[in-house]
Amino acid sequence: MAYTIAVAGKGGVGKTTICGLLIDHLCRKKNGPVLAVDADANSNLNEVLGVDVELTLGDLREEVAKAEMVKDSPIPPSMSKQDYLNYKFSEVLIEEDDYDMLVMGRTQGSGCYCFVNGLLQAQLSRISGNYQYIVVDNEAGMEHISRGILPKVDTILLVSDCSRRGIQAVGRIAHLVKEVQMDVKTVKLIVNRAPEEKLDEAIQAEIEKQGLDLLGVLPADSLVYEYDLAGKPTVQLPEDAPVRKALAELLRQLEL
């Protein structure tokens, strides 16, 4: 079974940047193939990794769900929905040298997608055994995991910035994890963009109030901002970049 790591937090805290650097860290260790899953509706993990995306699982789900409702269905008469989804799934899976990537995307239409979601769940279960690690970039609601579409999670990394609202947001995610009984082994907090890698007393107090387990803090790294402005993938940061070095130390604590 693949070891699954989910990264979650509210928008704008650097969650996707950390997720991309985590994927890069695992690939550099050469401990086995990695599957990167972008499950955030505002998908941009591919930009952090430097990957082009042409088709998402959301696009495929929409196509299959509407196939019987249109005159010129893209599904040949001789193929079932299951067979067609199996055929198209290979187009959605992006294959890189050190990892593969799936982008969940969003569903635009209305109606019930339960049947197609079940097909996607079966596909993901089928391929999950091919990987040592699965890393999932989630939105705050963690919809795909809480609904059982994505594999069972072993570790959740909650990412916040140095704000009370950010800490409160990940506190709500931690509560959701317990509420839906996800049975996660490890739930840890990473505070990103900490000035001088330090937390003030008010933030420390809020972390304690929310009952969060702090793994550590990451510095505010100007190189991340510069790479973003230049349109350069964050995973191309140099080895001595402060955020890369600090994250590697936190991951070592998790034995990753």
Side-chain angles (χ1 to χ4, degrees):
M1 293 292 292
Y3 187 92
T4 302
I5 306 164
V7 183
K10 78 180 188 70
V13 299
K15 166 182 60 71
T16 300
T17 295
I18 291 172
C19 189
L21 291 174
L22 166 59
I23 292 165
D24 189 57
H25 171 88
L26 294 173
C27 290
R28 287 167 179 257
K29 291 190 68 177
K30 304 291 185 182
N31 282 347
V34 177
L35 175 63
V37 180
D38 190 342
D40 194 332
N42 183 27
S43 306
N44 57 12
L45 179 60
N46 64 296
E47 295 178 6
V48 171
L49 295 171
V51 176
D52 293 327
V53 176
E54 296 183 2
L55 185 68
T56 72
L57 284 172
D59 297 331
L60 180 55
R61 179 171 60 178
E62 195 85 10
E63 184 177 315
V64 173
K66 290 183 176 180
E68 295 179 345
M69 302 170 58
V70 295
K71 183 177 180 180
D72 298 320
S73 171
I75 302 179
S78 60
M79 294 182 73
S80 66
K81 284 185 180 182
Q82 173 94 47
D83 291 337
Y84 184 74
L85 190 139
N86 291 346
Y87 166 71
K88 295 287 287 186
F89 192 81
S90 62
E91 296 183 23
V92 181
L93 185 66
I94 302 166
E95 298 180 346
E96 295 292 311
D97 290 339
D98 298 317
Y99 63 91
D100 294 342
M101 183 177 184
L102 287 170
V103 178
M104 295 297 291
R106 61 171 59 186
T107 300
Q108 303 295 334
S110 59
C112 180
Y113 288 81
C114 298
F115 174 72
V116 183
N117 283 346
L119 295 181
L120 289 178
Q121 183 180 12
Q123 287 290 330
L124 290 167
S125 296
R126 179 180 62 84
I127 69 168
S128 62
N130 299 333
Y131 302 96
Q132 186 69 27
Y133 294 99
I134 298 176
V135 180
V136 187
D137 184 17
N138 289 275
E139 58 188 355
M142 302 186 71
E143 174 186 5
H144 299 296
I145 288 176
S146 62
R147 290 187 178 182
I149 299 174
L150 290 170
K152 181 180 179 298
V153 176
D154 297 286
T155 293
I156 294 179
L157 298 179
L158 302 172
V159 180
S160 175
D161 56 9
C162 291
S163 69
R164 289 182 66 255
R165 283 179 293 177
I167 299 299
Q168 290 167 355
V170 293
R172 287 190 289 271
I173 298 172
H175 179 74
L176 172 65
V177 169
K178 294 179 180 178
E179 189 177 82
V180 299
Q181 299 179 333
M182 288 176 60
D183 190 27
V184 180
K185 298 175 184 176
T186 305
V187 181
K188 296 284 187 179
L189 168 66
I190 295 176
V191 178
N192 193 28
R193 300 173 186 156
E196 300 181 359
E197 295 186 60
K198 296 179 181 178
L199 301 179
D200 61 36
E201 293 182 1
I203 294 301
Q204 293 183 46
E206 189 63 38
I207 291 172
E208 293 179 10
K209 179 181 177 181
Q210 296 294 331
L212 297 167
D213 187 358
L214 178 65
L215 177 62
V217 299
L218 299 177
D221 191 337
S222 60
L223 273 178
V224 175
Y225 179 66
E226 292 173 14
Y227 272 52
D228 181 65
L229 286 180
K232 296 171 63 176
T234 312
V235 294
Q236 293 181 5
L237 285 170
E239 293 288 334
D240 60 351
V243 69
R244 186 188 281 280
K245 291 171 62 178
L247 179 60
E249 177 56 37
L250 299 188
L251 297 178
R252 274 192 288 272
Q253 294 181 39
L254 294 173
E255 299 182 350
L256 294 174

